[in-house]
C-alpha cells in the first residue's frame, strides 16, 4: 500500500538553538506574553493561566517541558495558542520563525538528528530553506 503524501503548513519557532514546527491549522492565536496567573502545586513547566476572550487557558513553558531548562523571558517570547481535542493550551516559545510547507512523505526520521528533545515528541525533521526544523508531535507532547 502506498502512503499518500500531503502538504502540511507549519508555524516555526525557536527554543534555544533549535527550530521547531507546529501545525498551523491547530493554532488559533499567537500573542505577546501577557501577565500569567500562577497556580500553586502544579508541574514546574506549567507557568499558570491566562484569560483570552473569556476562556481560561493553561500556559506551558515548552522549553522547560521538552528539555528541563526554563525559557528566558524577553521581548521576543510569544504564546502560541493551540486547540487540541476541543480544549485550548498556550505554549511559551522564545521567538517565532516563518510559516512553511513540507510534504509529509519528505519528513526525515527524528532519530537521525541531535536534539535535546526526546524523539518520542518529534514526528520528524523537515527541511525549509536549508534549515532543519523539528516537527513536534503535539498530541504526544500534550496528550
Amino acid at each position: 500500500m502506498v502512503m499518500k503524501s500531503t502538504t502540511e503548513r507549519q508555524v516555526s519557532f525557536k527554543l534555544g538553538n533549535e527550530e521547531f514546527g507546529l501545525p498551523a491549522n491547530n493554532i488559533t492565536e499567537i500573542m505577546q506574553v501577557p501577565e500569567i496567573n500562577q497556580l500553586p502545586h502544579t508541574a514546574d513547566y506549567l507557568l499558570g493561566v491566562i484569560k483570552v476572550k473569556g476562556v481560561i487557558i493553561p500556559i506551558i513553558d515548552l522549553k522547560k517541558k521538552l528539555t528541563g531548562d526554563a525559557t528566558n523571558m524577553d521581548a521576543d517570547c510569544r504564546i502560541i495558542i493551540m486547540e487540541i481535542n476541543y480544549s485550548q493550551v498556550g505554549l511559551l516559545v522564545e521567538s517565532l520563525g516563518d510559516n512553511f510547507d513540507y510534504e509529509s512523505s519528505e519528513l526525515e526520521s527524528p532519530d537521525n538528528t541531535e536534539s535535546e528533545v526526546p524523539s518520542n515528541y518529534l514526528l520528524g525533521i523537515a527541511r525549509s530553506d536549508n534549515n532543519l526544523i523539528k516537527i513536534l508531535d503535539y498530541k504526544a507532547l500534550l496528550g
Side-chain angles (χ1 to χ4, degrees):
M1 178 158 83
V2 176
M3 296 292 288
K4 183 179 178 189
S5 178
T6 59
T7 301
E8 304 281 339
R9 164 107 16 218
Q10 298 281 305
V11 173
S12 71
F13 58 90
K14 290 227 179 190
L15 297 174
N17 294 324
E18 298 184 71
E19 193 165 3
F20 296 90
L22 285 168
N25 62 334
N26 290 86
I27 295 173
T28 59
E29 190 170 346
I30 297 174
M31 62 190 327
Q32 291 185 328
V33 181
E35 183 176 337
I36 299 172
N37 299 306
Q38 295 181 339
L39 299 172
H41 312 295
T42 59
D44 61 351
Y45 59 81
L46 181 60
L47 296 177
V49 296
I50 62 173
K51 193 172 189 178
V52 178
K53 300 174 187 164
V55 177
I56 304 291
I57 300 173
I59 303 299
I60 292 173
D61 181 339
L62 195 53
K63 184 177 181 183
K64 181 83 170 173
K65 168 103 174 157
L66 292 172
T67 69
D69 297 328
T71 297
N72 294 323
M73 297 284 267
D74 63 24
D76 291 332
C77 288
R78 294 292 182 268
I79 301 283
I80 298 174
I81 299 178
M82 295 190 71
E83 186 167 320
I84 302 163
N85 297 330
Y86 305 104
S87 296
Q88 291 187 330
V89 64
L91 305 173
L92 175 67
V93 300
E94 291 181 341
S95 65
L96 288 178
D98 296 321
N99 293 348
F100 69 97
D101 295 322
Y102 74 90
E103 292 294 324
S104 59
S105 63
E106 296 175 1
L107 272 186
E108 298 174 22
S109 170
D111 300 326
N112 297 338
T113 187
E114 290 186 25
S115 177
E116 291 185 55
V117 176
S119 62
N120 61 309
Y121 290 141
L122 299 175
L123 289 175
I125 309 299
R127 292 184 185 271
S128 176
D129 298 328
N130 296 323
N131 294 327
L132 293 179
I133 302 172
K134 296 154 188 85
I135 306 301
L136 286 175
D137 183 348
Y138 68 92
K139 292 178 183 174
L141 180 66
L142 302 170

